[in-house]
């Protein structure tokens, strides 16, 4: 049994289609990326656009998938009647390979700096003896931050997209 809440509790009152109904360009749907805006059909084009994040989406009619078009990664979602379900585009083997490459990207430079520090340690009485351990920590943190940023860009988490849009709007107001 499904419950329909009043419109004041529903952020997207038009998004009440069941999962069996085909996606329609005359309907409004919640945006699967920012989860703040609504997807509206574009005039004279078989595509949707978000009212908040302004991403462009198309529909794969055979499988009823929503596909992000203005991004390098092939992100897809399936409509579940009230929400979007993310369709994985990377297989389990590819995902394992990406995790291994990410770990290698973070640990290899860190281990190289650490190895140089332990092979040729500075004398404790020298000025700047604190720099090699600090440098090792900075290499680890910077490579971890780069890997984290790449994951955020690939998966387009809603909090990240919303924060990026607010930052862009804030910077546009600064003369």
């Amino acid at each position: 049994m499904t419950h329909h809440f009043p419109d004041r509790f529903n952020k997207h009152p038009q998004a009440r289609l069941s999962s069996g109904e085909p996606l329609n360009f005359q309907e409004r749907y919640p945006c699967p990326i920012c989860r703040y805006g609504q997807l509206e059909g574009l005039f004279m084009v078989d595509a949707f656009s978000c009212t908040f994040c302004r991403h462009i989406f198309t529909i794969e009619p055979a499988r009823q998938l929503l596909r992000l078009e203005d991004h390098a990664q092939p992100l897809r979602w399936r409509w579940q009647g009230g929400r979007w379900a993310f369709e994985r585009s990377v297989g389990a083997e590819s995902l394992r390979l990406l995790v291994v490459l990410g770990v290698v990207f973070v640990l290899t430079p860190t281990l190289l700096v650490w190895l140089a520090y332990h092979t040729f340690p500075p004398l404790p009485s020298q000025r700047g003896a604190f720099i090699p351990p600090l440098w090792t920590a900075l290499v680890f943190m910077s490579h971890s931050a780069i890997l984290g940023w790449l994951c955020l860009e690939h998966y387009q988490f809603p909090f990240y997209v919303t924060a990026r849009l607010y930052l862009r709007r804030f910077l546009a107001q600064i003369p």
Side-chain angles (χ1 to χ4, degrees):
M1 178 178 188
T2 61
H3 297 284
H4 292 289
F5 295 104
D7 287 344
R8 62 189 165 119
F9 295 116
N10 192 352
K11 192 173 183 181
H12 301 283
Q14 290 91 2
R16 294 187 183 199
L17 299 174
S18 68
S19 59
E21 294 182 31
L23 293 173
N24 185 352
F25 288 106
Q26 283 72 35
E27 297 289 334
R28 287 182 154 195
Y29 302 95
C31 180
I33 293 182
C34 69
R35 296 185 183 166
Y36 183 78
Q38 293 184 355
L39 298 182
E40 294 180 340
L42 294 175
F43 183 67
M44 296 185 67
V45 180
D46 288 342
F48 285 107
S49 174
C50 178
T51 58
F52 183 73
C53 64
R54 299 188 177 142
H55 282 290
I56 305 294
F57 301 89
T58 59
I59 295 175
E60 291 181 18
R63 297 180 2 186
Q64 288 297 308
L65 292 176
L66 185 74
R67 184 175 64 208
L68 181 63
E69 292 297 332
D70 61 351
H71 196 267
Q73 300 299 327
L75 301 176
R76 293 180 181 93
W77 296 267
R78 184 178 307 278
W79 181 245
Q80 297 293 324
R83 64 180 182 83
W84 294 103
F86 184 71
E87 290 281 319
R88 297 205 183 274
S89 58
V90 178
E93 295 82 23
S94 299
L95 187 60
R96 282 191 213 111
L97 176 66
L98 290 174
V99 168
V100 168
L101 288 176
V103 169
V104 167
F105 176 75
V106 171
L107 292 183
T108 301
T110 305
L111 289 175
L112 287 174
V113 171
W114 178 84
L115 184 63
Y117 162 58
H118 280 286
T119 304
F120 306 106
L123 297 175
S125 61
Q126 281 183 324
R127 286 181 32 204
F130 67 93
I131 291 177
L134 178 67
W135 189 259
T136 305
L138 286 174
V139 167
F140 177 77
M141 289 187 309
S142 64
H143 281 79
S144 296
I146 291 169
L147 184 64
W149 172 74
L150 288 172
C151 288
L152 289 173
E153 279 292 322
H154 175 74
Y155 288 107
Q156 294 286 310
F157 293 111
F159 69 89
Y160 173 71
V161 172
T162 305
R164 192 175 66 191
L165 289 170
Y166 279 127
L167 180 64
R168 186 180 304 154
R169 288 180 182 177
F170 175 73
L171 293 177
Q173 293 176 353
I174 298 175

